[in-house]
Amino acid sequence: QVQLVESGGGLVQAGGSLRLSCIASEPMFDSYAMGWFRQGPGKDRELVASISWDGDYTSYADSVKGRFTISRDNVKHAVYLQMSNLKSEDTAVYYCAADRQSGVAVTQPGYWGQGTQVTVSS
């Protein structure tokens, strides 16, 4: 039943980079806002980045602004999260999500990926 599949997580040293990918199984996601959430150990799930259906509007959590970049390719039905200058605080399971109710920004996701682990060592 999984319609969003993440990949690209792994172990990286502080200051390093990773690129996460999320592939959608159906083209209907091309009209939805997409986003990346994360949940660190003992923490609530939080929205990291959001992107509009056409990629023209993006938003970021203050903690990652300037370090992370979200993008999408609707031809490939994919959304990406380029993560640079990683910090130990970025350690979390990262989830791709889609919001059917919005084409601009993720508010209430109705679809989730299975998650991919990102671990940053210091």
Side-chain angles (χ1 to χ4, degrees):
Q1 294 181 320
V2 177
Q3 294 179 280
L4 300 172
V5 180
E6 306 97 330
S7 63
L11 176 64
V12 64
Q13 289 185 311
S17 300
L18 285 173
R19 184 174 185 255
L20 306 183
S21 298
C22 173
I23 306 300
S25 62
E26 300 292 340
M28 66 180 183
F29 291 100
D30 294 348
S31 64
Y32 300 167
M34 302 284 290
W36 289 93
F37 289 75
R38 69 184 181 187
Q39 187 165 21
K43 299 183 180 297
D44 294 332
R45 187 171 298 187
E46 64 173 344
L47 177 64
V48 175
S50 181
I51 188 167
S52 62
W53 73 273
D54 57 0
D56 287 345
Y57 176 82
T58 58
S59 63
Y60 300 90
D62 288 342
S63 59
V64 307
K65 195 172 299 181
R67 299 188 297 118
F68 291 10
T69 301
I70 189 171
S71 61
R72 69 189 298 165
D73 184 343
N74 286 346
V75 174
K76 298 180 179 179
H77 313 301
V79 61
Y80 308 99
L81 186 67
Q82 178 65 50
M83 310 164 67
S84 300
N85 192 25
L86 284 161
K87 304 176 180 180
S88 60
E89 305 94 274
D90 297 319
T91 295
V93 177
Y94 284 72
Y95 299 89
C96 179
D99 191 343
R100 185 177 183 177
Q101 301 178 55
S102 176
V104 178
V106 170
T107 302
Q108 294 181 300
Y111 301 90
W112 295 88
Q114 83 288 350
T116 185
Q117 176 71 47
V118 172
T119 302
V120 183
S121 62
S122 61

